[in-house]
Amino acid sequence: MKILVVGNGGREHALAWKLAQSPRCSRLFVTRPNAGLRTLGTPVDLAPDDVPGLLAFARAEGIDLTVVGPERPLTLGLVDAFEAAGLRAFGPRRDAARLEGSKAFAKAVMTTAGVPTAAYAVFDSLDPARAWVRQLGRGVAVKADGLAAGKGVVLCHTPDEADQALAEMLEGSALGEAGRRVVVEELLEGEEASFIAVCDGQTVVPLASSQDHKRVGEGDNGPNTGGMGAYSPAPVVTSALADEIMQRVMIPTVEALRADGTPFVGFLYAGVMVTPDGIRVLEFNARLGDPEAQVLLVRLQTDLVDVLEAAIDERLDRVSLDWDPRSALTVVMAAEGYPGTVRTGDPIEGLEAAAALPDVQVFHAGARAHEGQAVTAGGRVLTVTGLGASVAEAAQRAYAAVDLITWPGVHFRRDIGWRAIGRS
């Protein structure tokens, strides 16, 4: 079958890598592929959010399955458009994708479904937001309501920090339209985990557990990023906790959306904070996480094409997922300046040597091919992933590969997996 992968980042490289392993995949197409994706599929010179263009291409080429990686095409209604044209596409329809497209909508769904979450309020003007923060009397998270490429959350420990974040979003231009409305919620303390499931609108099948590292600096310091590394499984998610998340978060959310006439078909991602008072949902995403996708897909042993088609056909109740029993850990190698303004165009050295190491997979994100060589082209450039008998061993393999790769200004965290390794 012909498969089209929409998107061109590290998550999409991992998706394409896994889809290409299926004996059912005869030809793979990728939208404006990065340097790594170019080796897996035929380039399609269309932007991932060009819904009309992608629809016309899929019709003309006879694409059998379209797999959407990033959130923006989903919130623009790519799946709706493809389904209306009789084409198969995996991912939530536009109304269901609002779980990620609008933080306020996600909070409303949580309230309806009885999902445990932080106390919150929604604002589109500055003074009421500032007054609410002071009335709350504790630290807050200020979240842009719309899509902000993983950079729309500011953790504020003092009223002054909250004032600045609110002003920059509501009256500034830091996040554009995404920040014209904000969700302000109490700041939670605890350990965060990523809980992702594949859904067919009714059945919810959990993936293996994982944990992301969102701060740019070691020891979880510095500004938030799109993610500086991840590992799977995450020891904080015990079997009992996984059952609780399924019963109190995932299933009620899917049931609430179905009851509202917006069934969720796709990857449902819950960012869960494990607090001293129990679990609290921080956010929902309507797709695989990045870099969680990289560690999950290297561990997944079930044919991904079969899984995605079962979701589209609402028969996930007949699917079981098999996992490599080993741990996986990925390290994000970032360009100079990330998560701010980054430098691009630097040649990347050492990729072949790193990829030759056993139990290592190098996924490209912000990298492009230039005159036969990969060069930096974004903030998060590579996600270097290792497999091992433990998280510590997976880290050793990933960092052995990281140490072979270089370019001017490269930076990365040396402590990915520190919580799990500390537990052991």
Side-chain angles (χ1 to χ4, degrees):
M1 62 192 305
K2 293 181 179 180
I3 300 176
L4 169 64
V5 174
V6 176
N8 49 24
R11 168 184 45 234
E12 289 75 37
H13 189 183
L15 278 167
W17 173 81
K18 195 65 183 178
L19 291 165
Q21 295 172 17
S22 172
R24 300 179 60 198
C25 178
S26 60
R27 193 171 179 190
L28 194 68
F29 298 85
V30 185
T31 58
R32 294 184 180 169
N34 62 34
L37 278 164
R38 291 183 70 87
T39 67
L40 293 175
T42 302
V44 178
D45 189 20
L46 292 168
D49 58 0
D50 181 0
V51 174
L54 291 168
L55 178 59
F57 171 81
R59 277 173 158 165
E61 189 61 45
I63 297 296
D64 299 295
L65 174 64
T66 297
V67 181
V68 185
E71 59 274 19
R72 180 165 168 76
L74 298 171
T75 62
L76 292 175
L78 184 148
V79 172
D80 308 64
F82 274 55
E83 286 184 349
L87 296 173
R88 295 169 69 78
F90 175 80
R93 301 181 186 99
R94 176 170 45 203
D95 286 348
R98 290 175 63 203
L99 268 184
E100 180 166 6
S102 169
K103 294 286 194 298
F105 175 78
K107 281 289 196 177
V109 172
M110 291 184 217
T111 300
T112 299
V115 171
T117 189
Y120 77 100
V122 181
F123 301 97
D124 56 14
S125 58
L126 189 55
D127 288 343
R130 284 175 166 167
W132 189 86
V133 170
R134 279 160 173 75
Q135 182 181 4
L136 185 67
R138 62 178 73 101
V140 297
V142 178
K143 300 182 176 183
D145 179 53
L147 297 176
K151 301 174 186 177
V153 179
V154 182
L155 306 182
C156 307
H157 296 88
T158 67
D160 287 345
E161 290 177 354
D163 284 351
Q164 181 178 347
L166 288 166
E168 288 177 353
M169 290 191 196
L170 291 171
E171 296 188 347
S173 57
L175 297 175
E177 289 302 313
R180 297 304 181 206
R181 181 166 65 161
V182 298
V183 171
V184 186
E185 64 181 32
E186 63 175 325
L187 189 61
L188 298 174
E189 298 294 337
E191 185 171 350
E192 190 174 346
S194 303
F195 198 93
I196 306 174
V198 59
C199 310
D200 65 6
Q202 180 168 326
T203 301
V204 182
V205 178
L207 306 188
S209 63
S210 58
Q211 188 174 72
D212 189 12
H213 298 62
K214 288 187 167 56
R215 299 293 192 97
V216 71
E218 293 176 10
D220 293 331
N221 291 304
N224 270 349
T225 71
M228 293 301 293
Y231 61 90
S232 173
V236 67
V237 184
T238 62
S239 59
L241 188 63
D243 289 343
E244 182 182 0
I245 294 171
M246 282 289 290
Q247 296 303 318
R248 298 186 65 194
V249 177
M250 309 303 281
I251 293 173
T253 298
V254 170
E255 288 179 345
L257 289 170
R258 187 178 184 87
D260 197 40
T262 57
F264 190 98
V265 178
F267 289 116
L268 178 59
Y269 170 130
V272 179
M273 183 70 82
V274 184
T275 79
D277 299 319
I279 59 171
R280 299 289 187 272
V281 174
L282 298 172
E283 64 176 354
F284 282 122
N285 292 330
R287 38 73 188 177
L288 278 175
D290 185 351
E292 293 96 336
Q294 289 85 318
V295 293
L296 292 172
L297 292 172
V298 298
R299 292 190 63 217
L300 180 65
Q301 296 181 323
T302 308
D303 189 318
L304 183 59
V305 174
D306 291 344
V307 175
L308 303 189
E309 288 217 302
I312 293 171
D313 294 333
E314 202 173 318
R315 49 183 175 82
L316 276 178
D317 56 342
R318 288 174 266 168
V319 168
S320 61
L321 303 181
D322 295 320
W323 299 94
D324 190 317
R326 294 176 294 173
S327 297
L329 182 142
T330 193
V331 180
V332 171
M333 302 185 71
E336 182 176 351
Y338 183 77
T341 303
V342 300
R343 194 171 90 180
T344 61
D346 289 314
I348 305 170
E349 307 288 348
L351 286 170
E352 290 185 5
L357 294 178
D359 293 320
V360 166
Q361 185 66 40
V362 180
F363 294 111
H364 292 238
R368 64 181 176 88
H370 177 68
E371 297 181 352
Q373 183 171 15
V375 301
T376 62
R380 294 188 296 171
V381 179
L382 303 173
T383 50
V384 182
T385 307
L387 277 166
S390 63
V391 173
E393 185 174 295
Q396 290 172 358
R397 292 201 169 130
Y399 280 111
V402 165
D403 287 338
L404 295 173
I405 303 171
T406 188
W407 67 85
V410 60
H411 69 96
F412 53 89
R413 284 179 56 165
R414 280 277 179 194
D415 64 346
I416 302 303
W418 68 272
R419 289 183 183 272
I421 295 169
R423 276 188 168 88
S424 64

